[in-house]
Amino acid sequence: KCPKCQSASEAISQIEELENQVRDLTSSHESSGGEASLDMTQWASVRAFDRARLWRETLASLPYVQGTTISRGGLLFTKRKPVNASLAAAKATCSEIDVVVADSKPDVCLAVFDSRLPIYTMLRTDASGGKVLEKQRLEQAPRLHKHAGAAAYTPERLAKRSLIIAQQETLPKKHSFMEALTTTAKFGATAQGVIKRIDELIRRRKLDANRKTVVVMATNQGTLDLVANFACSCRAGPPEVQRALASTLVFTGDSETSKQVELFGLASFHDSALGDLPEGAAKAYGDYAFVRMMWLKITSVYSVVATGRHALFQDADVVWLRDPIEYFFTQADDQVDCFFMDDGARSARYTPLYTNSGFYFIRNNMRTQFFMHRMLMAYDTVLAVRSHQHALIMLLLEHMARHGLTVGVLDPLLFPQGQIFHRKKAIMQSFVDGTERPYVFHMCWTAGRTDKLRYLKNMALWFLEPKCDQDSWKGHRDHGNSTFD
């Protein structure tokens, strides 16, 4: 036998011998009524360290949230004995740290294995004999679910079948993935031509002159005045902010909206393949207009990234105070693939990144191109959860774990949003006093468009004249006498 084959055979024999030893040791412990020790494993030590510190030193890119557990510590297993009891010494024995964040409920347990064939996605299993699984499936489909019956959960059947619980409770229904299939197919049939036209538009208007970055927005008639406010705010700002107009490409829901956007001094693009979009503004978070506009948010960024440019996406209710593009290329870590605004929410729906999908920067590379492709294919999930933000966070985490995508969450002092406005009055005062100088402000965390306008006016971030509201833009036809000027 060749040396390599012989060494592999010897390795297999050694593994089998170790497994037999462990089996004997387990049998011995069980017969004596004792508990197994770390001697049965490769783990040399397990220590508890301050929870916040351990989190920040292993999950630095994920926000640490206080008050989610009564535990003050986190456990770190090592396979080599640390030289002392410090966290630094324990980490010094590791070249890789695999992290699991388990549920804090008192009846949730954790099984830890090591293997040369690791499973990098945590699996949730039902240890209640099917009660948890049946409850979850009932919540996923209240009208369609039928209990499998006690016979499905007998010890004999469970000896051969793991009860895997879904990590996300929302499951896309047939109408969601059929609509997504139709919408995605329409875009896919003409995507190559659409992307070519967008590339030509970017070249012709020199929209990527500022560090090969295009500012991407998406709008319909319902948010047209918010887009106009952004344009006016840029013109009223310092030179570094004024040049944002030359980098902005607004994707619109119809050709008439595109004509009106051009009046603001902004480049626009429309194609029917981008979807059959409603005309009015969303009346509430997650309503019909809100969800359908999410498709335009996806295709717009996807298309710009597909041309090879970096993309800075923002909702229409964002106002620039300084040039954020400059920040991403001179202040931010250039090894991070994408940066997202911190939403401020700390709920299970947006865990663990809590990112806001209304302002984010995509650095163009192979990882982000693939991520945007997968986002395009995930419209069924967007429809199911009625949120671009929720679906995006789920996909971000998957791509971080599976494909090494790096994600940064922006400092809310530099990139504040509606949660700061509503709940952090001291920080808002620091903006007024000039002790803090944010780059942008995003007026999210509102019930609808009416509240957005009222709050922006309260903050002196509404730059349109009283007569220049949504109705005055609607139906405007005269390109030779722009009311924007």
Side-chain angles (χ1 to χ4, degrees):
K1 295 182 179 180
C2 65
K4 288 187 177 180
C5 296
Q6 185 64 39
S7 62
S9 176
E10 290 175 352
I12 292 172
S13 297
Q14 290 173 0
I15 291 172
E16 290 176 343
E17 183 179 349
L18 285 171
E19 287 179 342
N20 289 331
Q21 291 176 2
V22 169
R23 194 178 298 112
D24 293 341
L25 187 59
T26 303
S27 177
S28 173
H29 275 283
E30 289 177 347
S31 63
S32 63
E35 293 185 356
S37 69
L38 290 179
D39 294 338
M40 293 176 59
T41 73
Q42 290 192 78
W43 303 112
S45 73
V46 54
R47 286 190 171 90
F49 297 99
D50 177 76
R51 185 174 185 273
R53 184 184 173 193
L54 182 60
W55 181 289
R56 290 177 177 128
E57 293 196 21
T58 55
L59 296 172
S61 61
L62 303 185
Y64 178 74
V65 184
Q66 293 181 327
T68 60
T69 177
I70 60 173
S71 297
R72 292 179 295 169
L75 300 177
L76 182 61
F77 292 75
T78 65
K79 292 178 180 174
R80 295 200 295 268
K81 282 281 188 183
V83 295
N84 57 50
S86 69
L87 175 57
K91 287 179 61 183
T93 70
C94 313
S95 61
E96 173 183 334
I97 299 178
D98 298 339
V99 181
V100 174
V101 181
D103 198 312
S104 62
K105 295 191 193 75
D107 59 348
V108 173
C109 303
L110 181 65
V112 179
F113 306 89
D114 67 326
S115 172
R116 64 182 180 84
L117 303 173
I119 302 173
Y120 287 118
T121 298
M122 186 182 78
L123 297 176
R124 298 178 64 199
T125 61
D126 182 354
S128 69
K131 294 178 182 178
V132 175
L133 180 63
E134 287 291 339
K135 180 176 181 292
Q136 184 183 75
R137 290 184 174 178
L138 177 62
E139 291 171 349
Q140 288 176 335
R143 290 184 297 175
L144 300 177
H145 176 66
K146 293 182 179 179
H147 195 290
Y153 300 106
T154 62
E156 294 77 18
R157 295 184 69 174
L158 295 186
K160 297 180 180 180
R161 185 178 91 247
S162 299
L163 300 181
I164 306 297
I165 312 167
Q167 293 183 5
Q168 299 290 334
E169 293 183 358
T170 302
L171 188 67
K173 309 300 190 295
K174 184 176 180 179
H175 67 85
S176 295
F177 51 74
M178 290 305 296
E179 180 177 343
L181 182 63
T182 303
T183 304
T184 307
K186 184 178 180 180
F187 176 77
T190 59
Q192 190 171 0
V194 168
I195 292 168
K196 182 179 179 181
R197 286 168 52 208
I198 293 170
D199 180 60
E200 292 170 349
L201 175 60
I202 293 172
R203 292 177 186 275
R204 185 172 66 253
R205 300 283 287 265
K206 299 179 180 179
L207 300 176
D208 58 351
N210 188 3
R211 300 183 182 272
K212 206 178 179 182
T213 300
V214 177
V215 179
V216 181
M217 300 178 71
T219 190
N220 62 357
Q221 287 283 331
T223 55
L224 199 55
D225 52 350
L226 287 168
V227 176
N229 185 64
F230 168 71
C232 288
S233 72
C234 290
R235 288 203 171 185
E240 63 172 300
V241 171
Q242 291 177 18
R243 66 180 180 181
L245 295 173
S247 299
T248 302
L249 176 55
V250 182
F251 289 77
T252 67
D254 58 83
S255 56
E256 183 56 41
T257 303
S258 277
K259 294 176 184 177
Q260 294 168 4
V261 166
E262 293 283 348
L263 298 176
F264 309 156
L266 302 173
S268 68
F269 183 86
H270 167 70
D271 190 281
S272 59
L274 299 180
D276 180 18
L277 303 173
E279 180 178 304
K283 293 182 174 60
Y285 182 93
D287 71 6
Y288 176 85
F290 182 91
V291 174
R292 292 319 180 275
M293 282 300 296
M294 298 304 100
W295 177 242
L296 190 59
K297 291 181 68 169
I298 294 170
T299 53
S300 57
V301 179
Y302 171 86
S303 299
V304 169
V305 171
T307 70
R309 276 84 172 186
H310 311 301
L312 173 56
F313 178 84
Q314 64 175 51
D315 281 344
D317 54 354
V318 171
V319 174
W320 284 22
L321 306 172
R322 290 197 280 166
D323 181 7
I325 297 176
E326 193 68 16
Y327 171 85
F328 293 121
F329 285 92
T330 63
Q331 303 298 318
D333 189 339
D334 62 4
Q335 297 303 301
V336 174
D337 296 321
C338 43
F339 288 92
F340 290 79
M341 180 175 280
D342 187 335
D343 183 79
R346 295 295 184 264
S347 63
R349 182 175 173 87
Y350 301 131
T351 187
L353 291 163
Y354 313 103
T355 52
N356 185 288
S357 62
F359 184 89
Y360 60 92
F361 173 73
I362 298 286
R363 203 183 302 278
N364 199 302
N365 58 42
M366 292 179 63
R367 290 178 298 278
T368 55
Q369 289 170 13
F370 182 46
F371 171 75
M372 287 311 306
H373 171 74
R374 288 291 306 279
M375 194 70 221
L376 186 77
M377 297 294 108
Y379 189 49
D380 54 350
T381 304
V382 175
L383 292 171
V385 300
R386 309 191 70 77
S387 167
H388 174 258
Q389 180 180 2
H390 188 179
L392 180 139
I393 291 173
M394 287 192 287
L395 199 59
L396 276 176
L397 191 62
E398 177 184 334
H399 276 246
M400 290 171 69
R402 291 182 179 273
H403 307 294
L405 183 76
T406 53
V407 178
V409 181
L410 296 167
D411 184 345
L413 288 179
L414 297 177
F415 295 88
Q417 29 59 20
Q419 187 254 7
I420 300 292
F421 173 81
H422 290 295
R423 300 186 180 180
K424 304 292 179 69
K425 298 303 181 184
I427 294 177
M428 291 301 300
Q429 188 61 46
S430 71
F431 298 155
V432 175
D433 298 340
T435 54
E436 298 289 348
R437 295 184 61 236
Y439 282 87
V440 305
F441 185 84
H442 182 197
M443 195 63 259
C444 56
W445 276 61
T446 58
R449 179 182 162 279
T450 301
D451 284 347
K452 288 183 188 294
L453 269 60
R454 179 159 58 93
Y455 297 145
L456 286 169
K457 290 174 182 177
N458 289 345
M459 297 172 61
L461 293 178
W462 188 253
F463 294 85
L464 299 184
E465 296 294 329
K467 64 180 181 181
C468 296
D469 57 12
Q470 179 184 357
D471 293 334
S472 67
W473 296 117
K474 196 171 184 179
H476 186 80
R477 299 289 191 274
D478 189 356
H479 287 245
N481 298 291
S482 170
T483 54
F484 177 79
D485 294 329

